[in-house]
Amino acid sequence: MTTPEHSPLGRAVAYPSQYDPTLLFPIPRQPKRDQIGLPSPPPFHGVDIWNAYELGWLDARGKPRVALAEFRVPADSPNLIESKSFKLYLNSLNQTRVDSSEALRAMLAKDLSAAAGATVSVVLLPPSVSHAFQVEPLAGECIDDLPIAIDHYGPPRADFLAVDDQRRTEETLVTHLLKSNCPVTGQPDWASLRIAYAGPRIDRAGLLRYVVSFREHNEFHEQCVERIFLDLLRRCVPSRLTVSARYTRRGGLDINPFRSNVPGASADNPRSVRQ
């Protein structure tokens, strides 16, 4: 398997006009997990939710069809899928005839599961469905208006994280100030972050400084969330922890990693106003 640096991912490429599953570019998760010292198996379960807003194909008579799509890639899959390759793959369907929406869903699930190395679920919704991708605020208390000075924007500083051992709490905190950069293209990746935990009270000023310290950091969405989860787990020692991020879309796709050590916790898919 080649690395992103030796692939066409960071270069100008011709957009395909016919179905081509070989465009999907899987990237092994384990090397980055080894780099941050994530144990195996990892101390979380989770999923990467992808939402697609620019999915189109031709039906059996050649008439264009469109749909919204939700893809769920399990966090225990051996590979993540690089986002530009995902977009190129979806674009390769634009002039491809498919017998039915169900045939398309099955084809997408087969190709993406092969790339991820685990079963990827696919849900297709017509754009006329009123409940699809409803915009709603992220549940939790926003910490973005704290009156603090910040002068460090990378690399991530886990030592900014601190707790009050004398105060225990259960709360959900939200910040819209997470930004990192794509390690392939260098483009900015913007996200809203939600942290739900139980344990010693996390110092909010330190947490906000920590989140902003990703601002000039190069890492994929999924890897950023896993780094945040592990840093919080190590530095703050919560008994329960769930970290999720809602990234803004690029090329018609948004990526939303979810990691939790809470048994039975499942990821919802609330579309934020920034998405």
Side-chain angles (χ1 to χ4, degrees), residues 46-53 69-73 75 133 138 190-194 221-222 225 243-249 253-259 267-272 274-275:
V47 65
D48 303 323
I49 303 175
W50 298 65
N51 296 314
Y53 301 87
E70 179 195 271
F71 308 98
R72 290 183 176 244
V73 182
F133 299 103
L138 292 180
W190 305 90
S192 297
L193 182 70
R194 181 167 57 177
H221 305 61
E222 302 92 333
V225 170
V243 177
S244 57
R246 305 291 305 184
Y247 279 86
T248 59
R249 78 177 83 161
L253 279 174
D254 62 46
I255 310 172
N256 308 281
F258 171 94
R259 302 291 185 269
D268 56 359
N269 191 16
R271 179 182 169 194
S272 76
R274 299 172 73 198
Q275 296 178 301

Side-chain angles (χ1 to χ4, degrees), residues 101-136:
S101 295
E102 174 53 29
L104 176 68
R105 190 207 63 77
M107 184 169 67
L108 290 166
K110 176 177 69 70
D111 293 342
L112 294 167
S113 297
T119 301
V120 175
S121 70
V122 179
V123 175
L124 300 184
L125 294 169
S128 57
V129 174
S130 60
H131 67 272
F133 299 103
Q134 291 284 344
V135 174
E136 54 185 279

